[in-house]
Amino acid sequence: MTGTTPATDALDLAEAGAVLAAEAARFAALGWMRGTSGNLSLVLSRDPLRLAVTASGRDKGELTPPDVVLTDGEGAAVGPGRPSAEAALHARVARLTGAGAVVHVHTVASVVMGRRSPEGIRFEGLEMLKGLGHPTHEVAVTLPVIANSQDMTELGDRLEAALTPGMPAVVVAGHGIYVWGADPREARHRTEVVEWLLELAAAEG
């Protein structure tokens, strides 16, 4: 998906909507996008940066392909619709990391561990770390935790400062997790892995 003209963007937006609707349904079924919480994005083009972002206030278990909004590289709508209030953060993650897709879900384990370990959550010697791209379980990585803010510029600054090699995710304290990947499938797999790690840490106390 690399369209840069309005006509191509419109076609890509429809395709992206179908992909994001399917991804949202999976996350909602897991209980990670309750009510209208959470948001997803998919990069449509890099130059200029354009993203498909789930629309604000939609039930993520009932999304349809039209329930996405085209945004620019700052997260502002390009055309009709109102994207998630956190679209600017999705765009910033895409700019900073080169990600092709970003997942934001609200999980109980992420809130528990964000409160328990505000300095960051360390994982070591776990086979599931291979799911984040590590060639062996014999590694130690830290999942960053950042303070929440309703100001997406401020939150983006905190995320940028906290980016950690080998960890394509961050916990926003009291809020949820952001996870990213090259495409929606990789972003989903990484989200599942990060949530598994968080649930393990929460269970271990």
Side-chain angles (χ1 to χ4, degrees):
M1 297 182 180
T2 57
T4 57
T5 66
T8 305
D9 277 341
L11 176 62
D12 282 352
L13 188 63
E15 295 171 347
V19 171
L20 293 182
E23 294 297 317
R26 291 177 67 126
F27 289 125
L30 290 168
W32 299 354
M33 300 183 97
R34 295 180 185 275
T36 63
S37 69
N39 33 74
L40 308 173
S41 66
L42 174 57
V43 172
L44 300 180
S45 69
R46 292 284 175 189
D47 188 16
L49 182 59
R50 295 287 184 267
L51 299 90
V53 182
T54 50
S56 178
R58 299 291 200 277
D59 184 321
K60 302 309 184 298
E62 299 177 350
L63 283 187
T64 62
D67 291 327
V68 296
V69 179
L70 181 67
T71 74
D72 64 16
E74 302 299 324
V78 178
R82 182 163 65 95
S84 163
E86 296 165 350
L89 191 58
H90 283 251
R92 188 153 178 183
V93 170
R95 294 198 310 271
L96 288 171
T97 69
V102 181
V103 170
H104 172 48
V105 291
H106 296 215
T107 68
V108 173
S110 65
V111 174
V112 169
M113 290 309 302
R115 289 175 174 171
R116 189 179 294 171
S117 303
E119 74 287 351
I121 307 154
R122 182 179 171 85
F123 302 104
E124 184 174 6
L126 294 167
E127 191 75 14
M128 283 293 275
L129 291 172
K130 292 181 180 180
L132 299 180
H134 299 285
T136 174
H137 70 282
E138 297 175 338
V139 295
V141 297
T142 298
L143 175 58
V145 177
I146 61 175
N148 196 12
S149 175
Q150 300 306 302
D151 183 325
M152 290 302 107
T153 298
E154 181 176 26
L155 191 58
D157 289 345
R158 292 172 183 171
L159 184 146
E160 182 172 1
L163 287 176
T164 301
M167 179 54 74
V170 65
V171 170
V172 180
H175 189 93
I177 51 175
Y178 280 86
V179 188
W180 49 90
D183 52 43
R185 187 169 184 264
E186 182 175 71
R188 184 213 317 147
H189 288 172
R190 288 176 170 180
T191 302
E192 292 171 348
V193 169
V194 170
E195 175 60 14
W196 186 93
L197 293 168
L198 286 167
E199 290 179 11
L200 175 66
E204 290 181 333

